[in-house]
Amino acid sequence: MPFSYCNTGTCDYASRNDKSYWLSTTAAVPMMPVSGRDIRAHISRCAVCETPSPAVAVHSQDYIAPTCPPGWRSLWAGYSFLMHSGAGDEGGGQSLTSSGSCLRDFRAQPFVECQGPRGTCHYFANIYSFWLTHVSLDEQFGPGPVPSVLKAADQQRRQASRCHVCTKG
């Protein structure tokens, strides 16, 4: 649990049923919750880098990643991630201009939920990820797509829109 809650006199750590959400790795989804050092294999690592200008995500709602604007250079291309929901009213997201809205890899569950008092992390069936989808030009402003269920990973990946993270320079 990466936080504690405090009032004027004390701070409490892992004493509530708090949850945190972490970007996951491409490790196989375990059947049971993981704990201790086994959690490391499921939580993505990051690096913070300095750039001459802020990184900005550009989204296409197409299956082809958009190009960076003139005078900007590419940092990476990915898939347009909107937000996640957890059990009950839990969840989160970020601005579509944020580099965090453009994930390099598409995974139906790109995050893992960790529960404080239990000290475990797991991929629960009742938490969801939300992605921008591919919308062809002839489908725009029309009656909407035909509802369908995409079970195969390649179908899911093809339906997600693409994005690019760019920086000036």
Side-chain angles (χ1 to χ4, degrees):
M1 194 49 48
F3 57 88
S4 59
Y5 69 98
C6 303
N7 63 22
T8 56
T10 62
C11 291
D12 292 288
Y13 173 73
S15 62
R16 299 167 42 142
N17 192 20
D18 291 321
K19 299 171 186 165
S20 60
Y21 297 90
W22 300 84
L23 191 61
S24 64
T25 65
T26 55
V29 174
M31 297 301 292
M32 300 298 292
V34 292
S35 61
R37 293 200 179 274
D38 293 339
I39 293 171
R40 282 184 176 188
H42 298 277
I43 295 180
S44 182
R45 303 291 297 179
C46 62
V48 177
C49 303
E50 185 175 13
T51 61
S53 73
V56 175
V58 180
H59 300 272
S60 69
Q61 282 203 272
D62 198 354
Y63 58 88
I64 298 170
T67 57
C68 291
W72 293 65
R73 66 181 175 86
S74 169
L75 295 176
W76 71 82
Y79 297 87
S80 301
F81 178 67
L82 285 173
M83 62 184 228
H84 68 276
S85 68
D89 62 353
E90 307 292 329
Q94 64 279 313
S95 166
L96 284 176
T97 59
S98 164
S99 59
S101 69
C102 186
L103 301 183
R104 284 185 190 221
D105 299 311
F106 177 88
R107 294 184 303 280
Q109 284 192 309
F111 56 92
V112 60
E113 179 182 285
C114 298
Q115 298 179 341
R118 294 184 187 138
T120 61
C121 298
H122 197 46
Y123 303 82
F124 294 99
N126 65 341
I127 55 179
Y128 301 98
S129 61
F130 294 84
W131 301 82
L132 279 179
T133 58
H134 167 252
V135 179
S136 65
L137 289 175
D138 59 328
E139 293 175 318
Q140 292 180 6
F141 308 106
V146 176
S148 60
V149 176
L150 308 172
K151 291 189 176 187
D154 62 322
Q155 288 178 321
Q156 296 168 355
R157 192 175 2 274
R158 274 196 312 266
Q159 191 60 37
S161 75
R162 300 300 306 273
C163 54
H164 226 121
V165 175
C166 310
T167 188
K168 218 171 202 180

